[in-house]
Amino acid sequence: CLPPPHPNYEVLNRHQTEEWKGWMQFLFLLYHYYHAMEFYNLIRILITAYVWMTGFGNLSFFYIKNDYSVVRVLQMLWRLNFLVVLLTWTHGTSYVLYYICPLHTAYFGMTLAVMRIGKAWNYTRYGLRLKLGVCAVCIYAVWDVNLGLFKLLHLWLPGTPQVGA
């Protein structure tokens, strides 16, 4: 539970992003409950914004707290995946069906790697910018350049399309 909001005029402070993410979750639920396919493109944009804000929150946490402990990582992985793994076991569904959790898990890992590797650079003038640029180039190489990296990194995914995924 978050503490009560206080006058905080910083752009994208935690209270502001948590509020936006809450409204987006509400819209996601409405979209899925009513099968409102006419809002498909809007929901994709909101999911992208949601993942970006979550990554921004993780980056801010690592930047401010400088906590890269195993306990912190395991807590995050538990929070992100416990209920999804439970649902896959009890319903016999695929983990990929709940795509938002693997997406958040992957980007948490990416944010952790960017912030942890060469963490002294996080506080220099251009260090963090350089690290984020290298990360962007790596994402581009995996997703958009046909080097076989995508298939190599996603061997755990089923090769055939899954119903509902």
Side-chain angles (χ1 to χ4, degrees):
C1 188
L2 293 174
H6 52 33
N8 191 349
Y9 300 108
E10 295 175 1
V11 176
L12 292 177
N13 63 66
R14 180 166 178 151
H15 296 292
Q16 185 179 30
T17 57
E18 293 297 323
E19 178 77 15
W20 289 356
K21 286 171 27 182
W23 280 108
M24 284 190 262
Q25 287 176 358
F26 176 69
L27 292 174
F28 300 156
L29 288 172
L30 288 178
Y31 167 76
H32 286 292
Y33 185 79
Y34 289 110
H35 304 286
M37 293 308 293
E38 60 273 13
F39 295 107
Y40 178 82
N41 290 334
L42 172 65
I43 294 300
R44 296 292 127 211
I45 291 168
L46 292 178
I47 287 172
T48 302
Y50 191 96
V51 171
W52 185 88
M53 281 195 280
T54 302
F56 177 78
N58 286 326
L59 187 133
S60 297
F61 175 86
F62 290 132
Y63 187 80
I64 293 166
K65 301 286 186 183
N66 203 21
D67 179 9
Y68 305 98
S69 65
V70 173
V71 172
R72 166 71 180 166
V73 172
L74 291 177
Q75 285 174 338
M76 278 300 295
L77 293 176
W78 176 263
R79 286 193 334 224
L80 287 171
N81 294 294
F82 171 70
L83 288 176
V84 171
V85 170
L86 185 66
L87 283 172
T88 60
W89 287 343
T90 58
H91 291 237
T93 56
S94 171
Y95 178 67
V96 177
L97 178 63
Y98 309 97
Y99 63 93
I100 199 73
C101 292
L103 186 64
H104 279 290
T105 301
Y107 281 104
F108 171 74
M110 193 178 305
T111 305
L112 174 66
V114 166
M115 295 299 288
R116 177 65 181 95
I117 296 170
K119 63 182 177 179
W121 286 21
N122 294 344
Y123 305 101
T124 63
R125 184 169 185 175
Y126 295 108
L128 186 55
R129 294 174 189 162
L130 178 66
K131 288 167 60 173
L132 290 171
V134 169
C135 182
V137 168
C138 290
I139 292 171
Y140 177 76
V142 169
W143 269 266
D144 292 325
V145 179
N146 192 11
L147 300 174
L149 293 174
F150 186 86
K151 284 188 177 186
L152 182 67
L153 292 172
H154 296 88
L155 287 173
W156 57 274
L157 287 173
T160 58
Q162 300 287 306
V163 175

